[in-house]
Amino acid sequence: MTYYKALVSYANTFLSDLSTSEDVVQDVFSKLFESNMSFDNEMKQKVFLYRTTHNKCIDILRKNAVHSQNSDNIAEYNREILSEQAYVSEDIYREMFEAINRLPGKQRSVITMNLDGHNLKEIAEMLDITYETARTHKKRAIATLKTMLDKESILLLIAIIM
Amino acid sequence: MKENKFTDILKENPEISKRTDFASRYRDYNLVDEVSAWEKFERKHFRNTTVSHKRNNFMKTLGKAAIVILLASATYLIYNNTFGEKTPIAAIESNAVKISPVMASNIDRAKKSGKVGATIAAMSKEEQMEVAEECGLSTEELLEAQRITTIQNNEYWLKLSDGSIIHINGGTRVIYPEHFYGNTRDIYIEGEAYCMIAEDKEHPFIVHTPHGEVKELGTEFNVCTRTNTHPGKDLYTEVVLVKGSIAVRGNNEQREYLMKPGDCATIVDKKEGSVSMTHVDVEPYIAWNTGQFSFRDKSLEDVMFVLSKWYNVEVEFANDEARSILIIGNFDRYESISGIMSAISKTTNTKISINGQRIVIDTY
C-alpha cells in the first residue's frame, strides 16, 4: 500500500475527481491481487502500478468523451506508451511527499505553505512567528530533506519552493 | 513531454506550472485516506467472497497479499528486531555504494600516499573532490562505504566490522566503511550517537564530526553535533565520556585534549581553544541510550531537557517556579510523551499542555 496515496494523486492529475481516482487505483490493486502476477523487483512492480493506473485513467477519459458526444477529443486520449523511466520519474513525487510528511511539525508547515504559494513573510504572519524564524525553519527543513532524498529530487524540490 | 525526466522539463521551462502541479498533487496525496481504502479492499477481497471460493483461493490470495505488502513496503527500510516490533528505523541512502576490492586498494594506496589522511570524511566537498582527483578516484569511492541516516524519532544499532557498536539516535547520519583498512578506524557522525568501541591499540578509532574529531582506544562515549540550530546559538560537537579515556581535537587546531570519564567536551570551529571541558553528570546526556529514563532528584528543567531531546519537542516554562521542582522516577523511553507528561503533571501538581511539538508547563 506504499504506493496507494501517490497513485491516487497521480490519477487525479488526469481525472480531477478524487473519488473516481480512488476507484481507479482500487481497481489497479484488485487487478494485481487477482492475477497471478509476480515481480522480480520493486521497480517492475512500480512500473506496473503506474502504467495500469495511467491506462485506466485514459480509458475513463475516452468513455466520458464518447458520452458527451465530444468525439473530436477522443483521438487525444490514445493510450500513450510511456517508457519505464517516465513511470519511475512519476514515483519521485511519492518519495518527496513522504519526505515532506516526515519533517517535524513547524518545518513541515513552512514547506507546505510555501508549496501553496505563500512567501516567507506571509507564512511568518500566519504562523505568528518572526520572519527570521520562518526562514530558519525552511533552511532546517531543506537540510533535513537533503538527508532523506537523492540529489535529483532535492534539486527539483528546491526549484519548486524557491 | 511526459517522457522527459522532471529535471529536463524543469530545465526547458523553468517557469512552468510544476509548482501548482506539485502542490496540488501533494494536497491530493494528503487527502487520501489509506486506512479506509485498505478496509474497502479487504472487504472486497476477503469477506465478500463465497465460502467455496474463499477456501479455494484463500491461501493463494493470502500468499499474494503478503507479496504485495512486502514488495510495496520500501525495500530500503531496515527492520528493527531488537524490540520485537517491526518498525522501520533507518533508511539506507540510495546513493550508498558498496566498496569493491579494487576501490579498497585504491583508497588504501591513497591513504598511504599521505594525501588522504584520516580526516577525509570531515573534509569539505571541495576538498574531497580535489583529493579524489589527485588519487584518481571519484568522491563517492573516496567516501566509499556505507552511509546510514536514521529517521527522526527512531534509532538504530550499528555493528561495525571491528566489533564496535554504535547506537545511532534519530535524525543522525553516519558514514562508515564496510571494512576497516589502514592504521586507523575512521567513521563520520553528524547528529547523535553512543559509541561502544572495541579495543584495538594498534588501530586507534577516530570519530570525525563537522567540528572536530574524537580519538580513542577502547571505551564508551556519547557524541552529539549541533549543525542546524537557531541562528545566534553556537554550532558545536559535544562529547561525553562514560568509560575509558579519549582525546578530542578541533578541526582547525593541532592540540589534542585528553578526557576523563564524566568529562563533557564542547568542540567549536576555532583556531585556538576549540575545545572547552566541563565535568558533568553523564545521565542526562546518555539517557537516550538506555532503555529507560532514570531521574534521581533532578529538577523538572533537567528532566524536560532530556525528554525534549528524545521526543523532539520544544518545552516552555510559563512559570519559573516549576523549573526547580525535583523529580525522582523512572520512565519507559518507548512510552508516549503524553503518558509521561500526565504522570509528571499528577505527581507535581503542575498544569501541562501539549500542543503538537510544543509543551507548556505552568503551576496552578
Side-chain angles (χ1 to χ4, degrees):
Chain A
M1 299 301 274
T2 308
Y3 296 103
Y4 183 79
K5 287 163 78 173
L7 286 168
V8 173
S9 80
Y10 174 57
N12 207 38
T13 60
F14 300 100
L15 305 174
S16 307
D17 177 57
L18 262 186
S19 82
T20 317
S21 302
E22 285 224 42
D23 290 344
V24 165
V25 180
Q26 284 268 348
D27 281 353
V28 172
F29 274 94
S30 295
K31 189 178 167 190
L32 175 70
F33 192 70
E34 280 156 5
S35 68
N36 265 322
M37 249 176 285
S38 65
F39 301 94
D40 306 342
N41 58 45
E42 205 188 335
M43 206 271 249
K44 284 192 179 152
Q45 191 206 24
K46 198 185 281 181
V47 169
F48 168 86
L49 289 171
Y50 279 95
R51 177 169 285 154
T52 318
T53 304
H54 182 213
N55 288 341
K56 276 188 188 292
C57 288
I58 298 299
D59 288 348
I60 288 175
L61 289 177
R62 290 179 75 171
K63 233 195 270 170
N64 288 349
V66 172
H67 275 292
S68 63
Q69 310 223 311
N70 194 356
S71 47
D72 292 352
N73 288 341
I74 294 177
E76 279 181 29
Y77 302 126
N78 283 324
R79 285 186 174 202
E80 293 172 76
I81 296 158
L82 297 188
S83 69
E84 293 198 343
Q85 190 51 49
Y87 291 114
V88 172
S89 294
E90 283 297 330
D91 202 46
I92 291 175
Y93 279 106
R94 180 182 60 85
E95 287 166 11
M96 291 194 283
F97 297 159
E98 283 176 0
I100 294 171
N101 283 355
R102 283 209 302 266
L103 288 173
K106 282 225 183 86
Q107 294 179 19
R108 188 182 156 187
S109 310
V110 172
I111 290 293
T112 49
M113 289 164 96
N114 210 174
L115 283 174
D116 282 340
H118 300 291
N119 63 34
L120 276 180
K121 205 175 144 243
E122 293 165 343
I123 294 171
E125 270 169 30
M126 282 186 275
L127 292 177
D128 199 19
I129 51 179
T130 65
Y131 176 79
E132 274 306 310
T133 312
R135 217 173 64 132
T136 311
H137 281 312
K138 184 170 168 177
K139 263 201 209 151
R140 284 163 133 202
I142 289 169
T144 317
L145 288 168
K146 269 185 187 160
T147 66
M148 299 193 279
L149 294 165
D150 61 42
K151 240 203 198 116
E152 197 183 351
S153 316
I154 191 75
L155 285 177
L156 176 63
L157 191 58
I158 288 170
I160 293 166
I161 61 180
M162 277 305 161
Chain B
M1 183 151 105
K2 281 248 180 243
E3 296 257 2
N4 294 338
K5 289 186 115 190
F6 289 130
T7 40
D8 295 336
I9 299 172
L10 212 69
K11 253 181 250 152
E12 283 166 26
N13 327 282
E15 291 303 339
I16 52 159
S17 55
K18 267 294 153 197
R19 174 197 283 261
T20 40
D21 180 19
F22 188 92
S24 67
R25 269 178 84 160
Y26 178 65
R27 219 174 296 129
D28 293 344
Y29 176 87
N30 282 323
L31 283 173
V32 179
D33 183 352
E34 226 175 344
V35 178
S36 68
W38 175 244
E39 280 167 4
K40 195 174 160 195
F41 188 80
E42 262 189 326
R43 267 200 307 279
K44 186 174 172 194
H45 291 279
F46 294 108
R47 287 173 210 160
N48 280 0
T49 42
T50 62
V51 176
S52 63
H53 200 88
K54 206 174 179 176
R55 282 254 173 271
N56 284 340
N57 283 328
F58 187 69
M59 287 316 286
K60 230 184 187 176
T61 46
L62 196 68
K64 190 145 320 202
I67 291 166
V68 172
I69 294 156
L70 274 178
L71 278 174
S73 55
T75 334
Y76 296 112
L77 295 180
I78 298 175
Y79 287 92
N80 182 2
N81 298 318
T82 325
F83 304 104
E85 262 184 322
K86 290 212 162 188
T87 44
I89 46 154
I92 301 264
E93 285 179 29
S94 53
N95 59 348
V97 276
K98 284 218 166 168
I99 185 157
S100 67
V102 179
M103 268 157 74
S105 74
N106 274 349
I107 295 161
D108 210 7
R109 209 180 51 231
K111 268 191 161 185
K112 280 192 189 116
S113 75
K115 295 248 167 66
V116 186
T119 51
I120 204 85
M123 283 180 177
S124 74
K125 271 269 163 325
E126 288 75 11
E127 285 172 320
Q128 279 169 6
M129 265 156 73
E130 219 179 284
V131 178
E133 217 173 77
E134 273 190 81
C135 303
L137 291 164
S138 73
T139 344
E140 280 78 4
E141 281 174 324
L142 196 69
L143 268 176
E144 38 89 17
Q146 310 291 311
R147 302 142 188 243
I148 232 176
T149 305
T150 48
I151 296 166
Q152 204 77 36
N153 298 338
N154 271 304
E155 54 188 321
Y156 183 61
W157 293 85
L158 173 70
K159 191 167 179 190
L160 299 173
S161 63
D162 66 338
S164 298
I165 292 168
I166 313 291
H167 184 182
I168 310 168
N169 207 348
T172 298
R173 157 188 279 218
V174 176
I175 303 176
Y176 66 98
E178 199 166 8
H179 298 288
F180 289 111
Y181 34 83
N183 297 327
T184 54
R185 296 171 283 166
D186 299 286
I187 68 166
Y188 178 75
I189 294 176
E190 205 179 307
E192 183 160 36
Y194 190 92
C195 312
M196 287 158 271
I197 307 302
E199 196 170 333
D200 181 354
K201 292 211 159 74
E202 304 283 293
H203 303 96
F205 196 101
I206 301 176
V207 176
H208 303 270
T209 76
H211 311 105
E213 62 184 46
V214 183
K215 186 166 138 194
E216 55 71 60
L217 306 159
T219 177
E220 285 186 24
F221 58 91
N222 194 67
V223 175
C224 180
T225 72
R226 299 295 163 89
T227 44
N228 52 356
T229 40
H230 287 284
K233 273 195 189 167
D234 290 335
L235 307 182
Y236 58 87
T237 292
E238 194 177 70
V239 181
V240 172
L241 179 62
V242 180
K243 261 193 240 171
S245 89
I246 54 179
V248 294
R249 186 178 74 78
N251 274 340
N252 298 318
E253 199 179 355
Q254 283 311 307
R255 186 182 157 194
E256 283 188 349
Y257 296 77
L258 280 172
M259 288 177 73
K260 292 189 293 293
D263 279 350
C264 170
T266 308
I267 311 171
V268 292
D269 270 334
K270 267 204 268 179
K271 284 235 161 27
E272 263 174 59
S274 58
V275 178
S276 52
M277 206 79 80
T278 48
H279 202 74
V280 296
D281 175 3
V282 299
E283 183 64 25
Y285 294 89
I286 63 162
W288 72 272
N289 178 54
T290 56
Q292 281 211 323
F293 294 119
S294 167
F295 300 109
R296 294 280 165 270
D297 288 330
K298 285 278 174 295
S299 71
L300 186 54
E301 189 173 18
D302 285 349
V303 170
M304 291 315 299
F305 171 69
V306 174
L307 296 180
S308 66
K309 276 172 81 179
W310 173 245
Y311 289 101
N312 190 28
V313 291
E314 286 170 41
V315 178
E316 188 192 314
F317 284 91
N319 187 329
D320 281 341
E321 272 175 44
R323 289 177 193 268
S324 51
I325 295 171
L326 289 184
I327 302 280
I328 302 173
N330 293 331
F331 301 104
D332 188 344
R333 256 169 18 107
Y334 300 101
E335 202 188 318
S336 71
I337 181 95
S338 55
I340 293 178
M341 293 326 296
S342 100
I344 290 178
S345 166
K346 274 178 202 150
T347 50
T348 60
N349 198 27
T350 46
K351 197 164 75 190
I352 299 179
S353 51
I354 305 176
N355 193 350
Q357 299 293 105
R358 191 173 181 79
I359 292 177
V360 179
I361 301 175
D362 201 355
T363 49
Y364 283 106

